Amino acid sequence: MNRYWIVLAMILVLATAARFHGLAAKSLWLDEALSWRLQSFPIGTLIARTGESTTVHPPLYFVLLQQWVRLSGDSEFWLRAPSAAAGIFTVLAMFGFVYELARFWAGDSPTAARDAGLAGLLAAALLAVNGFHVYLGHQVRGYTLGIWLAVLTSQMLLRALRLGSVRPWVVYACLALAFCYTHTLALFTLAAQGYFAGMYLLSSGPARREEGDESTVPGRPAGACADGGPVPLGARRWTGPVLAAAVIVAGYLPWLPNTLSQSETLRTSWRTGRQGVQDHVNELSHALLFTSATHASDEPVLAWCVVVVLAGALTLGVARCGWAGLHLVCLGCLPVLLIFAYSQFSERGIFSARYFAFAQPAWLAALACAVVWLPLRGERAVLAGMLLLWGSFSYVEAYPVVGPAGNPGMRAAAAHILEHRRDDELVVSVSAFEFFKLAYYLRHATPPLLCVNQRGRENQRGTAQLVDSDLVTQEDIFQRQPQGLWIVTSNSYGGAVGRIVLPEGWEVVDQREYDQDFWLERPLQVRHCRLKSALAEGGGE
């Protein structure tokens, strides 16, 4: 077992290097800037804003981020560091989850322990180099925290079912509740876990051993069922599950109305085109092997190969390992099916790679276990090597969006403004979502304004992150009698929400454009405008 820990330590070093390499190279993109803005509110306001219908994320990640920022500061590196750290912890948790999964299947024999260790190491290595997971670890978002909790809850559920005592069920309930308050799609993963636990408990039948009876079955560990799990102790087997369900329901019930309201807003917020079968396959392959950040051209054959291999691994798990394999099928398939069903009744489809983040560990675990289940060592070694090369290819494909090189983006635009702005000039964004990135990069200098057609944050997009003092109309701008304006805009996310028409006596003295990294974000345009009289007095640019 000691050698397993040495290999695991090496995998964790690899995971750390992948996740912290180039962590601060990219400018913040929209979702990261929204996270920064939310955590900057007082904690009461933060929780209230995450409960508004125009946002979709529960408050736990933002509360934790706020406390972290108070200790470390809010530079790009320190804002992203918690996500990177959560990604490393997930790699460690992946080993524990797959090890527990194998024990759940095969019991505590030396052979089972060896196979469990090998499967756990392979699964951890696959996650360590997975480009999709590394990419999520480079964002100021709660995805990697949610993935960590998804893996921990899955592991604790297996342990609770295997041991049959109340304590692991209580731990599971606490982790599940934290998961729910991290990301709303945790509900789909918990539904899959609950479905599996219900099937397992209902199928266990009456107790075959009462407490104190140490009878055994030849070739099987003491107290183990035919599938490797424990023999349930009569009606007591329901005490822990019922208690855990009660804790989760009671703990999440206060937030449920917010979730329902947010779901309705999300469902009708805007219309997206209906996806075909190939689109669904592409999204699934992206979540396993690539990253949704590059918007690269899809290779239909490769996407189908990825999905077929994954389906084969999950099917093999059920055929070879019974309940343990079925657990992976539930975790890897039911959330995807629920996302698909939700998208069918929504104007805005959410069948997207990033929303499969909590199912992806089950996919990688299935691939790792499928290799270890092979009877011959040579076959295991060859397939394990192929999977690791496959995973490394995933990281190489994602490197353009997780590596150190990046476009200048809003960081360079803000630096240019700060270098050349005069005290009598205002900085104004006419794009709602570019405003938050601009606000981040100007946070230690002059606060920017957002030009809108109608005052009041409730009338704007990005309502939860705005305050009324951010908003101005064109009339408000020129009533302040500035001598110059810096106007920032782009065509991203629906383009401008306000309009600035320069009055007579104004002219544009400089205009620049800055490329951004994320494929959804179009280039930024920065215009510097001055009063002609101010130009004459100041001697021009």
Side-chain angles (χ1 to χ4, degrees):
M1 192 65 187
N2 289 335
R3 60 185 176 182
Y4 288 168
W5 288 113
I6 294 173
V7 176
L8 182 59
M10 296 172 62
I11 292 172
L12 291 175
V13 170
L14 177 63
T16 302
R19 281 151 184 79
F20 279 94
H21 176 61
L23 192 62
K26 311 290 184 181
S27 298
L28 293 192
W29 71 290
L30 169 62
D31 284 2
E32 295 180 291
L34 294 176
S35 295
W36 165 78
R37 189 63 185 271
L38 269 178
Q39 67 80 33
S40 68
F41 293 137
I43 190 166
T45 304
L46 187 162
I47 294 174
R49 292 294 183 90
T50 55
E52 293 183 358
S53 61
T54 54
T55 187
V56 293
H57 296 293
L60 180 60
Y61 168 75
F62 304 106
V63 171
L64 295 176
L65 180 64
Q66 182 183 79
Q67 304 311 308
W68 172 255
V69 165
R70 289 179 178 177
L71 294 174
S72 64
D74 63 351
S75 69
E76 291 140 310
F77 179 88
W78 290 116
L79 282 174
R80 290 167 174 156
S83 294
I88 297 166
F89 294 149
T90 306
V91 173
L92 179 60
M94 190 73 163
F95 172 82
F97 165 55
V98 177
Y99 188 85
E100 183 69 40
L101 185 77
R103 290 186 66 195
F104 189 81
W105 162 49
D108 297 322
S109 68
T111 301
R114 182 201 65 195
D115 290 347
L118 291 174
L121 289 175
L122 181 56
L126 290 174
L127 189 64
V129 297
N130 184 264
F132 183 74
H133 194 260
V134 173
Y135 170 66
L136 293 178
H138 278 225
Q139 294 188 27
V140 191
R141 303 298 283 170
Y143 285 106
T144 50
L145 175 61
I147 298 170
W148 183 27
L149 291 169
V151 174
L152 288 176
T153 53
S154 299
Q155 178 186 356
M156 192 54 61
L157 176 65
L158 290 175
R159 181 172 298 177
L161 290 170
R162 183 169 61 86
L163 298 178
S165 58
V166 172
R167 181 176 298 178
W169 281 110
V170 173
V171 175
Y172 167 77
C174 294
L175 291 172
L177 202 54
F179 190 15
C180 288
Y181 278 99
T182 299
H183 201 288
T184 302
L185 288 181
L187 297 175
F188 289 174
T189 298
L190 294 183
Q193 293 173 352
Y195 179 72
F196 169 78
M199 285 196 303
Y200 180 81
L201 290 168
L202 289 172
S203 300
S204 294
R208 281 172 278 178
R209 171 172 68 87
E210 294 301 330
E211 201 167 9
D213 179 7
E214 300 299 332
S215 60
T216 61
V217 177
R220 195 181 306 149
C225 293
D227 53 27
V231 177
L233 302 179
R236 284 182 53 194
R237 69 186 186 275
W238 289 102
T239 303
V242 170
L243 178 61
V247 170
I248 295 171
V249 170
Y252 194 70
L253 197 59
W255 197 259
L256 184 59
N258 296 332
T259 300
L260 296 176
S261 175
Q262 291 167 355
S263 174
E264 182 61 23
T265 302
L266 173 69
R267 196 176 63 82
T268 58
S269 56
W270 70 78
R271 185 181 298 275
T272 56
R274 290 295 178 186
Q275 295 174 305
V277 174
Q278 185 62 56
D279 296 320
H280 293 143
V281 171
N282 290 341
E283 293 296 336
L284 289 170
S285 67
H286 284 170
L288 182 64
L289 190 59
F290 301 107
T291 166
S292 58
T294 56
H295 196 54
S297 59
D298 297 309
E299 295 290 343
V301 175
L302 178 59
W304 275 103
C305 288
V306 170
V307 173
V308 168
V309 168
L310 176 59
L314 291 169
T315 303
L316 179 62
V318 175
R320 291 289 302 274
C321 298
W323 288 108
L326 186 61
H327 183 56
L328 290 179
V329 170
C330 289
L331 293 177
C333 296
L334 284 182
V336 175
L337 293 175
L338 290 171
I339 288 172
F340 175 79
Y342 182 91
S343 298
Q344 300 311 301
F345 297 96
S346 171
E347 293 183 4
R348 176 188 176 184
I350 60 170
F351 199 91
S352 178
R354 60 176 170 162
Y355 298 130
F356 306 144
F358 307 134
Q360 192 219 42
W363 303 349
L364 296 177
L367 292 171
C369 289
V371 170
V372 174
W373 290 330
L374 293 174
L376 300 179
R377 287 187 178 183
E379 293 176 342
R380 294 183 184 183
V382 170
L383 283 180
M386 292 177 62
L387 281 178
L388 289 173
L389 285 175
W390 194 23
S392 300
F393 171 71
S394 162
Y395 180 74
V396 170
E397 285 290 303
Y399 191 79
V401 292
V402 300
N407 290 313
M410 185 63 80
R411 180 194 292 166
H416 175 70
I417 292 172
L418 289 173
E419 182 180 357
H420 298 284
R421 177 186 170 273
R422 303 178 185 179
D423 292 338
D424 58 2
E425 296 177 335
L426 297 177
V427 182
V428 183
S429 173
V430 295
S431 300
F433 292 129
E434 300 295 353
F435 166 78
F436 297 107
K437 295 186 290 181
L438 184 63
Y440 171 76
Y441 285 105
L442 297 182
R443 64 194 184 283
H444 299 310
T446 180
L449 300 169
L450 175 61
C451 182
V452 296
N453 295 324
Q454 186 178 3
R455 296 187 187 92
R457 75 176 184 93
E458 66 279 357
N459 299 315
Q460 316 304 326
R461 298 175 66 188
T463 299
Q465 289 83 9
L466 287 170
V467 294
D468 286 336
S469 60
D470 295 329
L471 309 177
V472 292
T473 62
Q474 173 167 299
E475 292 74 17
D476 297 330
I477 292 172
F478 292 106
Q479 282 178 4
R480 300 189 183 195
Q481 299 182 340
Q483 300 300 295
L485 286 175
W486 292 87
I487 303 173
V488 180
T489 187
S490 82
N491 292 324
S492 306
Y493 309 110
V497 295
R499 184 165 175 261
I500 298 178
V501 178
L502 295 177
E504 186 177 350
W506 284 75
E507 67 178 7
V508 177
V509 296
D510 183 55
Q511 183 166 325
R512 299 180 183 229
E513 188 170 276
Y514 299 88
D515 290 330
Q516 304 192 80
D517 290 304
F518 190 53
W519 66 271
L520 277 175
E521 298 187 333
R522 304 293 181 257
L524 288 166
Q525 291 86 40
V526 179
R527 287 185 296 158
H528 184 199
C529 311
R530 289 284 290 178
L531 268 171
K532 293 180 181 178
S533 58
L535 281 173
E537 293 174 4
E541 267 298 282

